[in-house]
């Protein structure tokens, strides 16, 4: 266990040749763009900076291709996003060798029955046009009724639960690592006790936990616990409530309408110090904390900006960002999914009942 933990937090940093000098009244600062990567408990390398593909299906082929050509090497997707076909075409179109790309996807909750797991993976591999994925995640710990309907509901509109557990799904995923179709397995949106159950009842510690982390939801204790177990964290929604989805979904929480993270004056001031935008500061905060970040964008200049977000923040600036922690969890479809998600974690107050779709 100790050895695995040490591996998971080891970071490799490659410095790019382009530096930006930021002049102030009394001093100047050279800001160097890095290309940080981390070593998973499998021994594989995962980039610190990646590309999310949630939403915008019509744009994903072009943007994935451009992002890879510009230097992104971590691509995150999921079956339920309905973009795997476009992502696969984008990877091919980019011309970047497949072995140079870290590509991850996620199983969806209606395919959690052990007899469905490998078939579901094969469906993803077909659409992604790849013989393997570098990472396969369980999207949520809750299981839905197996079948073609991704959101199976009864006559009253309530989600129909599946007959198996996330432990059953995990054991089926373990077997996939022996097929060559999956290099590493992990989870997403789990709470601490659910991960403890997986560790206790299986022989594989998750390589990755993908979860909501941003300056408004820092989850410091949970992040430290995951690190101690050798589980690498990938931050989804690293820019918090910048995405309108959290203000528009049926279970949108009131707190999602608070000031956007990137509008915080503290972040603007820190950005001036480095000649960076608040977005870049927030992404750099995640990377400087030892995690990977997967911002999404379909806009060229934003992709370019994100690529310049891996730089060193001084400890005083990290301390300032720590003061923004509001324990504000924006992603919480618990009442729609009929499962108390994040039960032992911060930010579960104010959960709203409403449909995701």
């Amino acid at each position: 266990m100790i050895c695995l933990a040490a591996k998971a937090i080891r970071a490799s940093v490659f410095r790019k040749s382009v530096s930006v000098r930021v002049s102030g009244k009394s001093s100047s600062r050279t800001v160097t763009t890095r290309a940080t990567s981390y070593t998973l408990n499998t021994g594989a390398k995962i980039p610190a900076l990646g590309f999310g593909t949630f939403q915008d299906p019509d744009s994903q082929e072009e943007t994935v291709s451009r992002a890879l050509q510009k230097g992104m090497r971590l691509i995150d997707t999921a079956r339920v996003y309905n973009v795997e076909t476009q992502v696969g075409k984008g990877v091919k179109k980019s011309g970047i060798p497949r072995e140079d790309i870290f590509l991850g996807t996620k199983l969806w909750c209606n395919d959690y029955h052990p007899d469905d797991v490998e078939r579901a993976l094969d469906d993803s591999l077909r659409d992604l046009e790849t013989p393997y994925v570098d990472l396969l995640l369980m999207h949520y710990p809750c299981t839905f009724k197996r079948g073609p309907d991704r959101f199976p509901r009864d006559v009253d509109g309530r989600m129909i639960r599946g007959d198996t557990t996330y432990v059953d799904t995990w054991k089926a995923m373990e077997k996939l690592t022996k097929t060559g179709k999956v290099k590493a397995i992990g989870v997403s949106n789990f709470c601490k006790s659910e991960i403890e159950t997986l560790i206790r009842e299986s022989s594989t510690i998750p390589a990755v936990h993908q979860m909501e982390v941003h300056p408004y939801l820092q989850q410091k204790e949970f992040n430290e616990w995951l690190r101690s177990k050798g589980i690498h964290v990938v931050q989804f929604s690293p820019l918090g409530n910048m995405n309108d989805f959290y203000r528009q979904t049926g279970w949108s929480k009131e707190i999602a309408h608070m000031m956007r993270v990137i509008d915080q004056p503290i972040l603007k001031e820190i950005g001036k110090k480095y000649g960076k935008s608040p977005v870049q500061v927030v992404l750099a905060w995640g990377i400087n904390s030892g995690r990977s970040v997967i911002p999404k964008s379909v806009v060229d200049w934003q992709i370019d900006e994100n690529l310049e977000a891996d730089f060193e923040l001084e400890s005083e600036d990290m301390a300032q960002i720590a003061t923004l922690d509001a324990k504000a969890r924006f992603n919480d479809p618990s009442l729609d999914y009929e499962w108390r998600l994040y039960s032992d974690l911060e930010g579960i107050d104010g959960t709203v009942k409403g449909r995701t779709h």
Side-chain angles (χ1 to χ4, degrees), residues 81-204:
Y81 296 168
N82 292 319
V83 297
E84 286 179 322
T85 297
Q86 295 91 328
V87 170
K89 290 182 183 302
V91 170
K92 286 288 181 71
K93 189 173 185 176
S94 74
I96 304 299
R98 173 66 183 87
E99 60 270 21
D100 293 343
I101 302 168
F102 191 103
L103 176 61
T105 194
K106 309 176 193 72
L107 287 172
W108 186 242
C109 308
N110 65 320
D111 281 327
Y112 280 9
H113 191 286
D115 292 343
D116 296 333
V117 170
E118 185 166 13
R119 188 268 311 152
L121 171 64
D122 288 341
D123 289 345
S124 289
L125 295 179
R126 178 197 65 228
D127 289 350
L128 289 167
E129 298 184 58
T130 181
Y132 70 94
V133 287
D134 297 275
L135 179 65
L136 180 67
L137 301 177
M138 209 183 317
H139 208 139
Y140 283 94
C142 44
T143 61
F144 297 165
K145 177 184 177 182
R146 65 189 300 207
D149 191 349
R150 289 180 180 162
F151 295 88
R153 300 180 185 275
D154 63 19
V155 293
D156 297 318
R158 297 182 61 176
M159 206 72 73
I160 303 174
R161 296 272 291 274
D163 297 325
T164 55
T165 70
Y166 61 82
V167 174
D168 299 323
T169 308
W170 184 251
K171 290 180 177 178
M173 291 170 65
E174 285 184 297
K175 295 177 182 177
L176 294 178
T177 62
K178 299 177 176 64
T179 66
K181 298 177 183 179
V182 173
K183 302 297 184 182
I185 57 176
V187 294
S188 179
N189 294 297
F190 274 53
C191 68
K192 180 181 177 181
S193 61
E194 290 162 346
I195 295 176
E196 286 177 323
T197 297
L198 286 184
I199 294 173
R200 184 175 62 251
E201 298 187 20
S202 76
S203 58
T204 305

Side-chain angles (χ1 to χ4, degrees), residues 211-219 223 233-240 285 291:
M211 65 182 192
E212 181 183 353
V213 185
H214 43 74
Y216 281 166
L217 183 67
Q218 300 187 18
Q219 304 195 79
N223 269 296
V233 172
V234 174
Q235 297 181 203
F236 74 73
S237 296
L239 302 174
W285 168 80
R291 300 183 289 265

